[in-house]
Amino acid sequence: MARLTENLNLHRALLCRLDEIPERVELIDQVKVKSITRSGTWPVVNLSGGRSLRTRLLIGADGFKSSVRSFAEIGSSGWAYPSHAVVGTLHHPSSNHPQHNTTAYQRFLPTGPIAFLPLTKEVSTVVWSTSVQLASILRSVHPDVLAHLINAAFRLPEVSIRYLYSILLERGADGITPESISEEIKFRENAHGIGVHSALYPSDVVSSGVGIPPMGSGAYPPLVHSVQAGSQASFPLKLSHADSYVG
């Protein structure tokens, strides 16, 4: 139904295409658009390097705070939600998962949904929408802590997820270690009678890539072994639409 493509791959594809038509396109990089002014009826793009470009047609793909939209005097409307989305790049084994990591997963948790989106057989990305306070902690915890929490978020009962939330809010990012969160999760597994051979067992990341997968494993994403360093981030969730569109 859908496919996720990383920005890095989109950039690479565009640059490869531009290399094929060098005589038709001039690529200007390592500069920023300082302002857009008007010269008669023509827009003038003023760059940070001191250069100005005058053109009859100006096309902008510059996102939420579009300077091109502002120059065209196209308004926008919308609102912010009291939630942030936490993202990160996940690494996991590929050898024994029934779906070979071709399926996206989503679970609706007490403070918002968490989505597991496949990229390759061994790499995926997470988008975890939650409260602003929790998002701040999840963005700042040790990557191994986040890996444990993602595995638990897809497998533990909701009552245990709420308890883990309370621990995070009480201790903060600096008060949680990979060892302490692992012990908390194992305690919840035992309390709910989740055995080591169950597909709901989020702690068995060591052996999750070998042997025969537990029955029902296909209903859950692969167990995360690690979160790529530097990939943890968060952003506010907003609704925003331009008031008009160019037909």
Side-chain angles (χ1 to χ4, degrees), residues 80-229:
Y81 295 100
S83 302
H84 281 201
V86 178
V87 297
T89 301
L90 316 177
H91 296 270
H92 47 75
S94 63
S95 58
N96 78 333
H97 193 264
Q99 306 299 330
H100 303 292
N101 202 39
T102 57
T103 302
Y105 296 84
Q106 187 174 38
R107 185 182 184 190
F108 292 87
L109 298 172
T111 62
I114 180 172
F116 187 102
L117 307 171
L119 297 175
T120 70
K121 289 185 177 181
E122 297 181 347
V123 180
S124 299
T125 188
V126 65
V127 181
W128 191 342
S129 301
T130 186
S131 68
V132 176
Q133 189 176 5
L134 274 173
S136 176
I137 297 171
L138 292 172
R139 181 189 64 219
S140 304
V141 294
H142 190 282
D144 290 344
V145 172
L146 183 59
H148 282 300
L149 290 169
I150 292 170
N151 290 333
F154 279 102
R155 290 167 173 82
L156 288 183
E158 185 175 304
V159 63
S160 289
I161 299 299
R162 291 181 181 275
Y163 185 81
L164 292 177
Y165 283 172
S166 67
I167 292 175
L168 291 172
L169 293 173
E170 178 183 350
R171 302 181 187 177
D174 295 333
I176 301 289
T177 64
E179 294 76 21
S180 65
I181 201 64
S182 177
E183 289 302 316
E184 291 289 350
I185 292 172
K186 287 179 180 178
F187 179 81
R188 302 297 143 193
E189 293 165 351
N190 293 332
H192 293 288
I194 300 174
V196 295
H197 300 296
S198 170
L200 290 171
Y201 191 69
S203 296
D204 194 18
V205 295
V206 175
S207 61
S208 61
V210 296
I212 300 174
M215 183 177 295
S217 294
Y220 307 96
L223 284 168
V224 179
H225 276 210
S226 62
V227 176
Q228 184 172 308

